[in-house]
Each structure stands twice: as structure tokens, then as C-alpha cells.
Amino acid sequence: MLLRYVNLWFSLAKFSLLGELAFRGNFLIKIFVELLWLGILLLFNYTIFQQTTSIADWNAQQYFFFIGCYFAMGGLIEMLFLDNCNQFADLVRSGDLDFFLLRPIDEQFLVSCKHVDWSCAPNILLGAVIMSLALWQIGWTFDTIQVGIFLVLFASGAALAYGFLLILMSASVWLMRNQSLFEMWWLFTTLMRYPSEIFKGPWAQPTGWFFFFVIPIMLVTNVPARVMVRPLLEPWLACYAIAAAIVVVAASRYIFRAALQHYRSASS
Amino acid sequence: MPIIEANGLSKTYRVYQKQEGLFGALVGLFSREYKDVVAVDNVSFTIEPGEIVGFLGPNGAGKTTTLKMLAGLIYPTSGSATVLGHVPWEREDAFRRRFSLVMGQKNQLWWDLPAADSFQLHREIYSLPSDQFDATLSELTELFGVKDLTSQPVRELSLGERMKMELIAALLHQPQLLLLDEPTIGLDVIAQVTIQKCLRDYNAARGVTVLLTSHYMRDVEALCKRVLVITHGKLVYDGSLAGIVDRFGNEKLVKLQFDGDDSPADVATFGEVTSREGPIVELKVDRARVPEVLAAILQRYTVADISINEPPLDRMIAKVFEQGTV
Amino acid sequence: MMKYLKILHISLTERLAYRADFFLTTFFRFLPLVTTFLLWEAIYAGAPKADDGAETTIVGFTRDKMIAYLLLVQISRMFSSMPGLATGIAHDIRDGNLKKYLLQPIDMLWYLLSYRGAHKIAYIATTALPYGILFFLFRDVFDLPGPWTWLAYFLSLILAFLIGFFFEACIGIAGFWLLEVTSFMYIVNIFTFFVSGQLFPLELLGEYPYLTAALEVLPFQYLAYFPAMVFLEKRQGTELIVGLLIEFAWAIGLLVFCRWLYHVGLRHYSAYGG
């Protein structure tokens, strides 16, 4: 069963790549703009750290590791899911969603994984390079267990982000009629772009807790980044991140099914 | 056991009534009005294995909505149905493996890739065994005459070839039921005829049951012995194509060629003149009055040639649509 | 009884869904402002204190001026951002909806421009309240400028609207040639977020003269940074007039380019038979 889905995913990935190679121009322009963006992001932070010694207790190297982690995470989500989820609203509007429902396969899998956006794959690599450089500057010594924990938490962060994306996508069908999911996702992920410690002050602290514990979007990059570069990671936090990922993914599946039900009873 | 059994299927949906003007838009922010639209109203029928049934009706009559309910895509508001022994809207995998839905105006294949790649993907989605898949594929490409075209990107194919590829994709998993919505829309006459032939041959070879909607009477005439007519969501006719003529064809076309170069001036008193060219006149006459009218004409004039015809089928269907109910 | 409960339930969810659209998007649009604020608070908190106890400044901005700047770029973006414009045009090209502009005596670009203009006015009117509250809360960080600065500010905002419109329209029209504009637009938006100065005042990159020179010449800074600087009276005299002239030139330049691109695109489009 699982094997069938894995095989199917590889076929989808292969055909996506073939399709994209047919339009190389698009592919190259996108990679170029992504590189420009990363360059400016790094430059900005480099300049900031010439003016200040730390941002919310993260020193320069730690902060650069965080940025690498965010960049890799963003790239992963963009590559695997973002474009697919963005097309969902169009599928609903045009009625082409019908064809996804006819197939003897899980609708959520088909809707969210159909197309693999290969032009975002370099971002994951670049993110990894930045993380490695930051670790090298810190003078980190290789530790298999630490890397293992990081990978697990990175994966659960990705799962968490996927869950939120799916919820946003499903909700957008009847809550946000005219908005582009791309824009909403960019606005929403602003919460995972910075260390949670910046939420300081009388009104910011509770806001930070809210997005850490109630709608735990901040866990996505904060927890995996902390495990590598911050002094110590409390075990409860790691467990909490994994549990949150499971709960959010389960909730997203429930909401996606509800959206499908809504579509199937409202359309003609 | 029938392939499709529909009992009192109904579908009502709500549409938002947009208010006009800037003020209306502001009001719309706070209160919205909806209108209930009845798309399908209490439709019942059964279809037996191996049948090819035509589903006729004007635009917006509820044909596509009914097909979608039978495919399990949407829920009916009331009524029940059994398709291939399943309740369609429960959408069990076992059910979804056994039928196909093809829509003429929609494209299911990957646009930028050769059809062969889409077929491969299909094989994985339906988890078809390789040898069975290869055999079916070569049988179908043979039957549809597109063996050399499967490695061309779909966007480079003609509309007719693309439709054949769509049908092949739909038949790869050997469904027992094929639901077709306007399969020949936008095709030229030659392509229409080839698609019809392909469908007929496949039906003969595999005994697949087909339910098809079409605007083109030619499709229906060529393929279907039985038709369902739906107008305003209601099923108004279920029976043989010839039966429509009996039921609704209460007029005949009488074509007369008079002796000489011209037709008599008072010919219009015998019936409605539908065409008049020199000595040739075509009259529309109530079926019951045909002998009487003919006798009167023959008595008064010399007639070189007479023929009596049924009005064309599409005109008759149009009349059924207009009347709405029987 | 159950029937009426059901009706109540349905109408309640409908109403809520419709309002949720408005409130959720407004809420989402405020999020980057919040995080950018907090990021800068953290940066100022981490900066070394001057020995004489003077207020910390970063590239000439005190903390208060930075807050004012970050609020003002929001106003700029209110005028210059065009959500969905490029993707809308690209969709019209792909789906063949473009024909409606070709068959009717209406020009697509002028039509879209007037449509966007109306949309902007409606949007600004509906978000006036939350922004009003926000500015009131932070009223201490602003010094109100004189009438001439106000005039220049409004001028720069109108031009920002035009630059934003024609820039996005150009990307949408590129859909004649590009396979897929949506995900491309996502990247361009992220890129614009940085180079228009939404996250930081562009002085911060002052150590890289080539980069600042490039940004000076490119249109991006006029989408957010420049109007904010005008309001803060950091652009005055000749500098202000030259800035406005360059902004004007960009608006005209992009307009001309956009029209030309549309023209060429249409020829390309009809060559392919639509």
C-alpha cells in the first residue's frame, strides 16, 4: 500500500521534471530570482550584525544557521506542495477537481503531491550549505545523534508546515474567495521566519505563546534550528514539536475532507 | 442485474444573488440572498449491461449533473442510486476502478507530455499489472488507429486525436461502465464519425455499458437504440429512438412536384409550406390528414412526383425540448 | 424545530464564512508588520549602547524613526501592491479570456487600471479604521510634516500606485511567453519585499555602493521606501524633486514598456491562433 504511493510519487516527480525541462526558460529565471533573494537576505543579516551583536540572544552564527534552516524548509515546502495547493482553488472553480475524485486513490495525496516543482530544489541545497557554513564557523564537532534528532525535528517541522498549508488551502475554498494562496502563505509564514525570542514585551509575549502553543506555526523552524545551535534543547520541546505535527496533520486531513464534502454538496 | 439503477434522483443547489451597484455590493457584505436552483428533479431509470443509452436535453437541463451524481462526484439532494452494485457517492475504490467518466470539453491528460506518459501514470494510479496494461494499450491504440501518435506531446495532437487519447486513457483499466459527456464536442464530421465507430466497435468487442450525452443527433442516431430525454431537470422520455417519432412526430413532410414550371397558388391552403422552389413544394401536414390532403391535391392538379417523409430527428427533439413535458 | 435549527446553522455559517474572508485577510496582512516590528525591536535591544548615553541609531534611524518608517512603508504598499493582477492577466491569456478585450471596444490595460483604482479606494476605505488605530497608538513616533511635504508625499504615493500597477501588469503580460506565472510571481513578490525597503531602510546597504546605486536606478524603491522617506522629510529640496522626477519617469517608462509588450504579445498570441 505504502509502496504503491511511493512508486506513484516517483512517477509524478519524473513526469514533472520532464514537463519542466520542456520549458527551460521558466526554470532558469526562477532559480536566478531565488538566488538574488537569498543574496539580499544574507546581506541584510550580515549588515545588521555589524550594527548589533545579537538578535534576541541569537548571535550571528546561530542566526545564520536559523536562516539556512528557514531557507531549506521553505524550499522543501515550495518544491513539494505549495504550487499544488495553490492550484486547488482553480481546480474547484473550473470543476477539474472532479477528475481527481474519480481516481481510485487518496484525493489528498493526488491534490497535494501531483506536481513537483523542481526549480525549488536548489533552495534546499543552498539552505544546507548555509547551515553547514554556520556550524563550521561555530566550530561544531560532528555528532551523529544530534544530526539524527535534527533530521527528525526538521521532518516534523515540514509535516507541521504541510498541515498548515493544507488547512489554509481547504479553508480558502470557502473562506477566502478571491485571495491567492501564495500571498496568504507568504504572509502566514512570516511567523516562522524569525526566532520565537523576538516576541518580547507586554503584548508580543502572549502573541508569541499563541503561535507557539495554540497555532504552533513557530515550531516549524525554531525547534530544528535550536537543536543544532542553541545551548540545550529541552526534551519536552522536541516531543511537543512531534506531537504538534501529528495533531496538525490529522486536523488538516479532517478539514480537507470537510472541504471536499462541501464542494460535493454545493456544486452541480 | 442492471448496471445503473436511479430512483428519484434530485439535486438542488443554491446560488448567490449578486446585488447591483456599489450600494448593492456594500449590502452584500452584510447580508446575502440565495436562490435555490433545481438542477435534477426526481429522475428514475435503469440501464442494463451492454446497452448504449443516449441522454438528451437542452443546455442546463441537468444531464451533466445527473452524470456527476452517477459518477459519485456530487451528492444528490434526495433519491437513491446503485451503479455497478455500489452507492456511487460513497466512492469506494472498488467502485472507482470499474467505471470511467470522459468529458469532451475537459482535458485529463498531461498537456506537455506524450500521451504514453499519461497512460503510464494511469497504470500506476489504477495499479494495473504490466502485461495486462500492455495488452489493453496495444489493443486500444490498434482499434482507435493511433498507434504512432502516443509518443507525441498531447498539445501537438489534433482535437480528434486528443479525444481518442482521452478515451484510451479512460478505457485502460477496462471499465464496465463508460459515462461520456459530449464526447464529440467541437469535432468535425469526419472525426465525429471515427469516434462513433471506435465506441461502437469497443462496445461490440467488450460489451461495455455506455451512457452518453451529446448535442449532435448524429452521435445518438449512430450509437443509441435507447434514449432518455431530460428537460428542466425532469425525465420526459425513456424509450427507443424510433419511439420518439411515434410520440412526438405527429406531422409528416409531403414533398410534391407539380407538372409544369410553377406550383399552384393556393397550395398553402393544404398545409404549412416549408419550402417552395418552382414546381417543387414541401408541405407540413398533420399525420391524420395526410390521405385526405393528398386525395384533394391529386384531384385538382397533375402531380409528377410525391414523397412523404418524417421530419428530421433533431427538429423533433427540439420540439420535445420546447414542450418540456409530455 | 430541528428544521429551523438547521436553517439557523446554515445561514450562520454562510454569514460567518463571508466575514471571515475579510477579517482573516486583513489579519494576515498585518502579520509581517508585527514580525518586522519585533525584529527591529530585537535588533535595537541587541545593539551596543553608546558610552555617552545617547540614543542608539542605526544608519541614521533612532528606534522611534525606525518604527515610523516601518509603518509608513505599509502605507506605501497599500498604494503600490497589486495582489492577483499579474496572475489574473496571465490566466486570461491562457484561458483565452483575452478575447473579450479584443472583441469589445475596450482596452485591457486601461480597463484594469480603472478597476484597480476603484478597488484601491474601496480597500483603503475599509482598512482605514485598523490603520487609524495603529497610527494613533504610535502617534508619538511621528512628526507631522509641512503642507509641501504632504503634497510631495501624495504625489509619490499616486506614482507608486502607477509603478506598482504597470510593473505587475508587465509580468502578467509576460504570460504570453512564460509557461506559468503564478509561482514566478511568488518569488518576485518575495524579492520585492526586500528591495522595495519593506523590511529595512535601504541605507542599511550603504556599504555596498554598487548595490545602492543599482537600487537607486531600479523602480523597486519607489514602491515602498521612497514615499516613506518623503514623509519623514529625509528627502528635501533638489533631492526630493529629482526623486519625484525619477519616479515619474519610471511610471511613464513602465507604461510605455507595458503597452509595447502587450502589443507584441498580442501579435504573438494571434500568430498561435489563441
Side-chain angles (χ1 to χ4, degrees):
Chain A
M1 187 62 187
L2 186 64
L3 190 68
R4 179 177 161 219
Y5 280 85
V6 171
N7 279 334
L8 187 55
W9 186 84
F10 275 108
S11 299
L12 288 167
K14 187 179 88 186
F15 292 130
S16 305
L17 186 64
L18 290 177
E20 270 189 72
L21 288 180
F23 290 86
R24 251 161 311 190
N26 235 48
F27 191 78
L28 293 176
I29 294 176
K30 255 182 87 178
I31 291 180
F32 175 71
V33 183
E34 301 246 17
L35 280 177
L36 269 182
W37 168 46
L38 178 65
I40 294 195
L41 181 67
L42 291 177
L43 208 61
F44 163 67
N45 285 290
Y46 176 73
T47 333
I48 285 294
F49 275 105
Q50 293 189 320
Q51 311 279 345
T52 184
T53 49
S54 72
I55 295 178
D57 289 340
W58 290 64
N59 68 29
Q61 290 80 22
Q62 294 169 336
Y63 199 82
F64 274 96
F65 183 88
F66 185 93
I67 289 172
C69 185
Y70 162 70
F71 208 72
M73 184 69 81
L76 187 69
I77 298 296
E78 265 179 74
M79 173 178 160
L80 297 182
F81 310 117
L82 189 56
D83 197 31
N84 290 307
C85 291
N86 182 57
Q87 282 176 13
F88 185 66
D90 269 349
L91 290 177
V92 169
R93 214 169 303 143
S94 64
D96 285 346
L97 183 62
D98 290 347
F99 294 124
F100 289 68
L101 301 181
L102 289 173
R103 310 278 171 242
I105 202 147
D106 188 71
E107 304 82 12
Q108 185 185 336
F109 172 79
L110 214 52
V111 164
S112 61
C113 302
K114 180 158 196 263
H115 180 82
V116 178
D117 189 351
W118 284 101
S119 61
C120 298
N123 293 18
I124 305 173
L125 210 67
L126 287 170
V129 169
I130 296 166
M131 284 190 275
S132 312
L133 284 177
L135 285 178
W136 175 67
Q137 283 212 316
I138 292 171
W140 180 75
T141 46
F142 191 81
D143 180 347
T144 325
I145 295 171
Q146 201 179 7
V147 172
I149 296 175
F150 169 76
L151 288 177
V152 169
L153 291 176
F154 189 83
S156 73
L160 200 56
Y162 169 72
F164 279 119
L165 179 60
L166 205 70
I167 291 174
L168 215 54
M169 172 194 95
S170 314
S172 72
V173 172
W174 75 91
L175 286 189
M176 289 180 276
R177 282 151 229 250
N178 307 313
Q179 314 305 330
S180 104
L181 186 68
F182 272 126
E183 193 201 351
M184 291 300 125
W185 181 245
W186 161 251
L187 295 175
F188 187 56
T189 52
T190 189
L191 291 165
M192 58 184 238
R193 219 165 293 149
Y194 309 104
S196 60
E197 287 90 340
I198 67 166
F199 284 80
K200 224 186 288 182
W203 53 271
Q205 185 94 57
T207 314
W209 283 334
F210 182 76
F211 289 112
F212 208 86
F213 293 109
V214 184
I215 300 179
I217 180 70
M218 287 208 292
L219 299 178
V220 172
T221 35
N222 270 286
V223 175
R226 274 190 206 181
V227 80
M228 290 303 281
V229 292
R230 300 291 279 180
L232 66 116
L233 180 91
E234 300 88 337
W236 70 265
L237 192 56
C239 297
Y240 170 60
I242 294 168
I246 293 168
V247 170
V248 170
V249 168
S252 76
R253 190 165 172 81
Y254 178 79
I255 294 173
F256 174 75
R257 305 223 133 232
L260 275 192
Q261 297 283 329
H262 175 79
Y263 168 77
R264 289 175 59 213
S265 16
S267 77
S268 70
Chain B
M1 198 183 78
I3 296 276
I4 299 178
E5 240 182 316
N7 271 314
L9 277 184
S10 296
K11 175 77 187 181
T12 310
Y13 62 96
R14 310 172 79 199
V15 284
Y16 163 51
Q17 298 286 96
K18 210 169 192 160
Q19 275 130 329
E20 274 180 32
L22 186 63
F23 181 72
L26 279 175
V27 171
L29 257 179
F30 300 100
S31 83
R32 325 195 89 201
E33 279 175 20
Y34 293 88
K35 198 173 82 178
D36 282 340
V37 175
V38 181
V40 176
D41 190 2
N42 199 16
V43 165
S44 309
F45 58 87
T46 50
I47 291 177
E48 298 297 329
E51 276 193 282
I52 303 188
V53 177
F55 204 7
L56 303 176
N59 279 334
K63 289 171 293 180
T64 307
T65 308
T66 310
L67 278 194
K68 282 186 178 178
M69 284 193 278
L70 295 176
L73 292 173
I74 56 177
Y75 293 101
T77 318
S78 63
S80 65
T82 323
V83 178
L84 300 160
H86 298 264
V87 176
W89 39 90
E90 283 172 7
R91 298 172 52 248
E92 293 140 288
D93 274 0
F95 167 64
R96 287 189 280 178
R97 279 176 203 286
R98 288 173 61 196
F99 81 100
S100 265
L101 170 68
V102 176
M103 294 184 159
Q105 68 278 52
K106 296 269 168 82
N107 174 45
Q108 300 187 59
L109 304 170
W110 284 40
W111 192 245
D112 300 314
L113 295 177
D117 289 347
S118 286
F119 296 158
Q120 276 299 330
L121 206 61
H122 227 75
R123 182 178 80 78
E124 303 216 29
I125 288 174
Y126 285 87
S127 21
L128 305 170
S130 280
D131 44 347
Q132 186 205 322
F133 169 81
D134 291 340
T136 320
L137 182 58
S138 73
E139 182 196 329
L140 286 169
T141 47
E142 189 90 31
L143 185 70
F144 285 57
V146 288
K147 252 201 152 65
D148 322 322
L149 297 174
T150 52
S151 49
Q152 267 184 44
V154 171
R155 70 186 134 82
E156 291 171 8
L157 298 177
S158 76
L159 211 55
E161 289 161 350
R162 216 183 290 153
M163 195 61 224
K164 287 184 184 173
M165 295 300 180
E166 292 279 346
L167 284 172
I168 291 175
L171 294 171
L172 277 174
H173 59 283
Q174 306 184 343
Q176 285 152 283
L177 171 67
L178 190 56
L179 302 171
L180 300 172
D181 192 19
E182 304 282 356
T184 58
I185 199 162
L187 300 184
D188 60 47
V189 180
I190 297 168
Q192 277 180 35
V193 172
T194 31
I195 296 280
Q196 287 161 9
K197 186 180 174 314
C198 293
L199 286 170
R200 215 173 23 233
D201 291 351
Y202 187 77
N203 171 262
R206 291 271 174 179
V208 66
T209 310
V210 182
L211 177 58
L212 83 106
T213 75
S214 182
H215 264 82
Y216 299 108
M217 280 313 298
R218 276 182 235 267
D219 282 350
V220 179
E221 280 178 280
L223 291 168
C224 315
K225 291 197 183 66
R226 178 179 164 207
V227 291
L228 304 170
V229 180
I230 188 170
T231 61
H232 304 296
K234 289 198 172 69
L235 193 65
V236 293
Y237 180 79
D238 177 358
S240 68
L241 200 53
I244 291 196
V245 180
D246 291 340
R247 190 80 141 285
F248 302 102
N250 44 11
E251 283 164 338
K252 294 245 176 192
L253 292 177
V254 178
K255 203 172 187 181
L256 301 156
Q257 185 173 1
F258 292 95
D259 236 6
D261 294 335
D262 212 355
S263 53
D266 65 341
V267 71
T269 55
F270 297 103
E272 192 189 324
V273 179
T274 51
S275 78
R276 182 174 201 156
E277 261 178 72
I280 302 171
V281 177
E282 198 183 59
L283 289 176
K284 197 153 79 179
V285 182
D286 270 2
R287 207 193 307 201
R289 287 189 54 230
V290 171
E292 179 192 330
V293 167
L294 275 182
I297 290 175
L298 288 172
Q299 207 172 25
R300 290 167 71 169
Y301 305 104
T302 325
V303 176
D305 193 16
I306 301 178
S307 64
I308 301 169
N309 297 308
E310 299 287 352
L313 194 59
D314 48 0
R315 215 185 292 170
M316 220 173 326
I317 298 287
K319 212 169 131 198
V320 178
F321 291 172
E322 272 167 40
Q323 289 172 351
T325 48
V326 181
Chain C
M1 188 60 200
M2 278 312 285
K3 192 170 95 188
Y4 293 103
L5 273 180
K6 178 129 180 118
I7 292 173
L8 183 76
H9 173 78
I10 290 174
S11 15
L12 208 63
T13 41
E14 290 283 354
R15 294 284 150 84
L16 284 180
Y18 196 71
R19 298 229 189 127
D21 175 33
F22 179 74
F23 289 119
L24 265 180
T25 43
T26 311
F27 169 72
F28 272 40
R29 294 223 165 99
F30 269 99
L31 283 178
L33 179 63
V34 172
T35 50
T36 313
F37 253 37
L38 294 171
L39 176 71
W40 278 101
E41 289 280 12
I43 291 169
Y44 276 94
K49 296 281 170 290
D51 295 332
D52 55 0
E55 214 180 336
T56 317
T57 62
I58 294 179
V59 291
F61 284 80
T62 60
R63 175 203 164 266
D64 281 2
K65 274 281 160 295
M66 188 61 82
I67 301 270
Y69 174 82
L70 293 174
L71 282 168
L72 285 166
V73 288
Q74 292 295 313
I75 300 293
S76 308
R77 285 307 277 163
M78 229 156 98
F79 281 81
S80 68
S81 73
M82 303 282 153
L85 176 64
T87 45
I89 295 176
H91 269 197
D92 276 355
I93 292 171
R94 257 204 113 149
D95 307 345
N97 284 341
L98 205 66
K99 289 193 189 74
K100 73 182 175 212
Y101 299 111
L102 301 180
L103 298 175
Q104 289 170 11
I106 191 168
D107 182 85
M108 181 187 81
L109 283 173
W110 297 135
Y111 167 75
L112 286 176
L113 184 64
S114 51
Y115 174 81
R116 279 286 155 171
H119 226 77
K120 279 284 162 208
I121 293 170
Y123 178 71
I124 291 167
T126 45
T127 48
L129 187 67
Y131 272 104
I133 294 172
L134 195 68
F135 275 80
F136 181 75
L137 287 176
F138 286 98
R139 62 190 175 281
D140 295 342
V141 302
F142 291 102
D143 304 314
L144 287 185
W148 287 110
T149 311
W150 273 106
L151 186 69
Y153 181 58
F154 277 122
L155 205 60
S156 69
L157 285 179
I158 301 297
L159 290 171
F161 166 74
L162 291 174
I163 292 178
F165 177 84
F166 287 112
F167 176 68
E168 275 231 9
C170 284
I171 296 180
I173 292 170
F176 278 118
W177 298 274
L178 285 175
L179 168 67
E180 210 275 313
V181 169
T182 325
S183 58
F184 180 63
M185 202 55 225
Y186 176 67
I187 304 301
V188 170
N189 273 335
I190 294 175
F191 183 69
T192 314
F193 181 76
F194 286 88
V195 292
S196 68
Q198 263 177 285
L199 184 63
F200 53 86
L202 298 175
E203 274 89 350
L204 201 74
L205 303 174
E207 279 185 49
Y208 310 94
Y210 292 115
L211 192 62
T212 33
L215 289 178
E216 199 71 38
V217 178
L218 289 171
F220 299 106
Q221 61 156 323
Y222 298 102
L223 297 175
Y225 169 77
F226 182 73
M229 295 305 270
V230 170
F231 189 91
L232 292 173
E233 301 191 296
K234 289 195 182 238
R235 292 283 184 280
Q236 282 183 321
T238 348
E239 213 186 356
L240 174 65
I241 290 167
V242 170
L244 281 174
L245 281 176
I246 298 179
E247 191 180 11
F248 181 71
W250 265 115
I252 298 295
L254 282 169
L255 183 158
V256 172
F257 181 67
C258 193
R259 290 227 68 97
W260 175 77
L261 205 63
Y262 184 53
H263 181 73
V264 177
L266 275 185
R267 265 211 312 242
H268 178 81
Y269 181 72
S270 47
Y272 273 70

